[in-house]
């Protein structure tokens, strides 16, 4: 299925200075609609289980943060303001996973002000404001600036907080019953992922 979707995705996005852009003519003028991924696939998911687990309860790919796990999970991202369509999908995806962007996030938009991406940067700003998602902006982006901002945000969080820190093109999947997994932890830990 993915291979048949690739030509449609490529036709919906073109290139120009500032990175990929949405090509409205490829979809009859309509913006692409992204669905919230990961929802509704627990516990009968066909995805792999967590290492060492034989239980379907721990399958990866359908989990959602709820209750105390959602309340103590914070989110940081430094995103290109010129990627307005991807930003909408990004926010939709992580909202579906249980991230509360209004209270538990720090988004930093890289806004260059360059003429060739100004409309797309304005669309990103309008989208976040329309969703009441607080954000900051930065005219410069470097890995060092990103690390300083992420570490600064981390220092403001409570001791029991968890931080999710994806790039704009990374869409994490959580294990089913992730809340139970986090509740059982009595020590601090780092949850990492690997690419397949």
């Amino acid at each position: 299925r993915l291979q048949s979707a690739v030509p449609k995705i490529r036709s919906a996005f073109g290139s120009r200075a500032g990175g990929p852009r949405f090509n409205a003519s490829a979809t009859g003028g309509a913006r692409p609609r992204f669905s919230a991924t990961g929802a509704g696939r627990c516990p009968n998911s066909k995805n792999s289980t967590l290492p060492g687990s034989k239980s379907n309860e721990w399958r990866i790919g359908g989990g959602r943060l709820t209750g105390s796990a959602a309340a103590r999970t914070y989110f940081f991202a430094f995103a290109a303001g010129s990627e307005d369509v991807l930003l909408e999908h990004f926010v939709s995806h992580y909202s579906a996973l249980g991230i509360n962007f209004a209270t538990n996030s720090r988004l930093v938009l890289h806004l260059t002000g360059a003429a060739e991406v100004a409309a797309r940067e304005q669309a990103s700003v309008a989208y976040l404001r329309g969703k009441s998602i607080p954000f900051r902006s930065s005219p410069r982006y470097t890995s060092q600036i990103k690390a300083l901002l992420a570490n600064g945000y981390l220092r403001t969080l409570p001791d029991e907080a968890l931080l999710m820190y994806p790039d704009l093109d990374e869409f994490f999947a959580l294990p089913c019953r992730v809340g139970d997994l986090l509740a059982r932890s009595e020590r601090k830990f780092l949850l990492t992922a690997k690419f397949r």
Side-chain angles (χ1 to χ4, degrees), residues 26-177:
T27 58
R31 292 176 67 84
R33 293 191 175 268
F34 296 106
S35 63
T37 57
R41 295 191 330 201
C42 291
N44 296 320
S45 172
K46 293 184 180 179
N47 293 330
S48 63
T49 59
L50 290 175
S53 172
K54 294 180 181 171
S55 169
N56 286 346
E57 297 174 341
W58 300 107
R59 289 192 182 276
I60 297 172
R64 178 172 168 37
L65 296 164
T66 59
S68 64
R72 69 184 198 139
T73 301
Y74 293 79
F75 190 89
F76 177 88
F78 196 134
S82 61
E83 298 295 340
D84 57 322
V85 174
L86 187 57
L87 180 67
E88 290 180 29
H89 179 50
F90 184 77
V91 169
S92 174
H93 175 81
Y94 286 104
S95 293
L97 292 185
I99 296 296
N100 183 338
F101 281 94
T103 61
N104 287 20
S105 74
R106 175 152 313 155
L107 293 180
V108 181
L109 281 185
H110 177 216
L111 300 174
T112 65
E116 63 269 9
V117 294
R120 291 168 46 210
E121 289 180 347
Q122 290 170 0
S124 291
V125 168
Y127 172 76
L128 293 176
R129 286 184 178 152
K131 293 283 189 181
S132 300
I133 297 173
F135 67 95
R136 297 173 180 196
S137 64
S138 173
R140 292 187 54 220
Y141 172 87
T142 67
S143 294
Q144 293 81 14
I145 291 171
K146 181 179 177 180
L148 285 170
L149 293 172
N151 286 327
Y153 181 54
L154 191 56
R155 283 187 210 96
T156 68
L157 301 180
D159 288 342
E160 70 282 355
L162 303 170
L163 180 65
M164 194 176 289
Y165 180 18
D167 288 338
L168 187 60
D169 61 352
E170 297 174 339
F171 297 91
F172 299 163
L174 300 175
C176 295
R177 296 184 60 193

Side-chain angles (χ1 to χ4, degrees), residues 58 68-69 72-73 159-162 177-191:
W58 300 107
S68 64
R72 69 184 198 139
T73 301
D159 288 342
E160 70 282 355
L162 303 170
R177 296 184 60 193
V178 66
D180 291 346
L181 177 68
L182 296 174
R184 291 180 187 177
S185 171
E186 296 176 10
R187 299 186 310 183
K188 291 186 178 183
F189 64 94
L190 175 65
L191 182 62

